[in-house]
Amino acid sequence: MKDVFHGYFTLGSVETKSLEDDSDLIVDANVLLHLYRLSEKTRESLLGVLEKFQKRIWIPNQVAFEFLENRPKLIMDQAKLLDDFMGRLRGNLETLTSPRSHPFLSENCLETLARAIDAACQEINNTRTEMEKGLQGDS
């Protein structure tokens, strides 16, 4: 059964090493586009895998075309998601600071939360800025 359905079985270290050393890697546009959707840590991990195959990666012409066609829209969509998320964070803070809204939080707690939200929004905004630089070209 293992010979017929080998995709369902975990490879041993010898088999994994053999794949890494001898196989070509063919990626599709979604693999490349996902680099813009992933966290930095996950993106670095994927790039590490791609780097192992750097001399044996094949990107078909159609894949390159789809990637280049869809990349600008994907970057802008991701930037909009970040903007929307920052808006929700700030909106939640506004709701909490309203004297009519439950739960009522102490001034100290609200100040701590406001600083945390400001820090998170600054980090998100930095990520957005870096992402938009991709519209001019990736390095």
Side-chain angles (χ1 to χ4, degrees):
M1 186 182 301
K2 193 173 185 178
D3 291 337
V4 176
F5 298 103
H6 54 85
Y8 288 93
F9 296 92
T10 304
L11 299 176
S13 60
V14 172
E15 294 165 312
T16 300
K17 181 76 171 130
S18 175
L19 280 175
E20 288 177 2
D21 293 343
D22 302 328
S23 298
D24 291 333
L25 180 65
I26 303 169
V27 296
D28 80 349
N30 285 315
V31 170
L32 301 174
L33 291 169
H34 272 318
L35 290 169
Y36 295 96
R37 294 182 181 110
L38 301 172
S39 70
E40 184 177 348
K41 183 179 178 181
T42 305
R43 182 175 43 256
E44 292 300 321
S45 179
L46 177 56
L47 288 171
V49 170
L50 295 176
E51 193 172 305
K52 286 182 181 181
F53 289 89
Q54 68 182 348
K55 294 181 181 177
R56 294 172 287 126
I57 290 180
W58 182 46
I59 300 175
N61 189 52
Q62 182 64 30
V63 169
F65 173 77
E66 289 174 16
F67 170 74
L68 293 170
E69 281 290 306
N70 293 311
R71 187 167 96 13
K73 182 181 181 325
L74 181 110
I75 291 171
M76 294 309 298
D77 288 349
Q78 292 300 313
K80 180 162 178 11
L81 287 172
L82 293 174
D83 288 343
D84 292 347
F85 184 74
M86 284 190 296
R88 287 193 308 273
L89 279 176
R90 294 196 189 282
N92 286 333
L93 181 61
E94 288 176 18
T95 299
L96 289 170
T97 57
S98 171
R100 295 181 168 169
S101 296
H102 282 284
F104 298 112
L105 300 176
S106 69
E107 285 297 316
N108 186 36
C109 184
L110 287 172
E111 288 172 9
T112 302
L113 184 59
R115 283 192 302 274
I117 288 174
D118 285 343
C121 287
Q122 183 61 46
E123 190 170 321
I124 292 167
N125 203 35
N126 291 344
T127 299
R128 186 186 191 287
T129 300
E130 286 301 310
M131 187 182 302
E132 286 181 334
K133 285 181 184 177
L135 290 173
Q136 280 77 38
D138 296 319
S139 51

